[in-house]
Amino acid sequence: MKIISHRGASGYAPENTLKAFRLAVEMGSRDFEFDVHQTKDGVLVVHHDYDLKPTAGKEARIAGLDYAELKKFNVAAHFKRDKMVQHVPRLEEVIDIIGPESDWLNFEVKNDNNVYPGIEEKLLGFLKSRPGLFEKAVVSSFDHGTLKRFRELSLRLKLAYLGHGLSTMLLLPAIRKAKAVGAVSFHMALRIAFKLNVKRIKKAGFQVCIYTVNRKKDALRMKEIGADGIFTNHPDILGKWTLKG
Ligand code: G3P
Ligand code: CA
């Protein structure tokens, strides 16, 4: 089972910052997840939310800022354990920190209602610009239109269906949508990660990865029911519980 650093080692450092990714690498992570946005002047950046309120405590939207402006915000302001100034990183900086030793990189593209027109072409261009990056990349999005546009642009790109507001009842239609877009992986919330659901998804031919798993008992249950990966904010602790393999 893959132990995927979720927004870096975000249990110990401000999420989606270079510090969080550096720490995850030091902890031995080889599988990573991060959230991708695009600034007004077209720079791909890594941050969870569309605005800076949750991390910097300021009312400002990434879509409305050039990167030079975005860089001025301290996105560690929310993090109680360590408020040392951290900036929203450019995607390429995150990839540089993660380095070539990584195995599996999940680029979660935040693009509800196509708020970042052209982000698909831009990300695809970036993935192809670095040796080996395209092969280890898996692109996911809560926005199905975004996944469809990625598929139209590339038949080879690995896509992951990302379940939003899923329930057991809605699982079969979701599996159909995942198939329609040619996804290889299916990512869903711990809330509905039951044995039968995981079995159904795997039977349909997908890898199953579960978010966000921060407790040992949940992690062990995920392994038991056959999850292929778990997204966690605590990659060090989870790695110790003989979860790998
Ligand atoms: O990609 C899995 C998970 O990160 C999706 O939810 O809200 O944490 O981006 P969220
Ligand atoms: Ca995410």
Side-chain angles (χ1 to χ4, degrees):
M1 185 170 75
K2 282 191 221 316
I3 309 298
I4 306 156
S5 286
H6 183 244
R7 313 179 193 172
S10 58
Y12 307 102
E15 63 183 44
N16 280 326
T17 62
L18 294 184
K19 196 166 196 172
F21 291 106
R22 210 172 275 127
L23 198 57
V25 170
E26 283 166 17
M27 289 172 171
S29 288
R30 296 179 73 99
D31 304 313
F32 298 83
E33 187 264 5
F34 36 82
D35 306 288
V36 182
H37 295 252
Q38 185 172 268
T39 62
K40 193 175 162 194
D41 54 344
V43 177
L44 295 176
V45 294
V46 173
H47 190 258
H48 180 262
D49 296 272
Y50 289 88
D51 65 89
L52 299 167
K53 187 76 182 163
T55 51
K58 307 280 184 207
E59 297 285 355
R61 285 179 69 75
I62 293 174
L65 298 169
D66 285 344
Y67 186 64
E69 297 169 300
L70 176 63
K71 223 186 147 179
K72 292 179 189 155
F73 292 88
N74 174 18
V75 291
H78 70 106
F79 197 72
K80 286 195 181 70
R81 292 169 62 164
D82 177 5
K83 290 189 192 302
M84 205 173 97
V85 175
Q86 296 293 320
H87 307 288
V88 173
R90 299 164 77 110
L91 177 61
E92 59 193 69
E93 293 178 298
V94 170
I95 298 303
D96 286 343
I97 296 266
I98 288 174
E101 298 302 312
S102 57
D103 292 330
W104 189 89
L105 301 181
N106 181 194
F107 296 73
E108 192 207 325
V109 177
K110 300 287 193 191
N111 190 32
D112 288 0
N113 305 315
N114 204 16
V115 65
Y116 304 122
I119 193 170
E120 298 87 357
E121 286 90 344
K122 183 144 269 173
L123 180 57
L124 208 49
F126 175 67
L127 295 179
K128 289 178 177 170
S129 73
R130 302 278 185 104
L133 188 57
F134 182 91
E135 287 69 27
K136 64 174 79 166
V138 176
V139 172
S140 64
S141 183
F142 282 123
D143 185 78
H144 201 61
T146 300
L147 287 187
K148 283 189 190 164
R149 285 189 291 279
F150 271 112
R151 180 53 75 229
E152 278 161 20
L153 290 168
S154 169
L155 287 175
R156 283 198 310 121
L157 180 65
K158 291 195 275 298
L159 295 178
Y161 183 86
L162 185 51
H164 188 247
L166 267 189
S167 63
T168 300
M169 281 246 302
L170 294 173
L171 199 60
L172 284 180
I175 288 174
R176 264 183 234 122
K177 282 176 94 173
K179 275 188 181 165
V181 83
V184 294
S185 197
F186 194 106
H187 300 172
M188 68 177 181
L190 179 61
R191 173 175 63 72
I192 57 155
F194 306 118
K195 191 172 184 175
L196 194 61
N197 289 345
V198 168
K199 201 172 159 190
R200 274 193 192 135
I201 300 166
K202 291 187 76 146
K203 202 171 163 203
F206 302 101
Q207 280 207 334
V208 184
C209 299
I210 308 298
Y211 65 89
T212 306
V213 182
N214 289 324
R215 293 189 308 182
K216 179 179 178 178
K217 71 170 189 167
D218 292 325
L220 292 173
R221 185 170 67 85
M222 291 306 103
K223 187 170 186 191
E224 177 67 29
I225 67 176
D228 297 288
I230 53 171
F231 297 93
T232 182
N233 303 341
H234 302 277
D236 61 334
I237 296 173
L238 292 187
K240 284 183 195 155
W241 295 330
T242 60
L243 293 163
K244 290 191 176 173

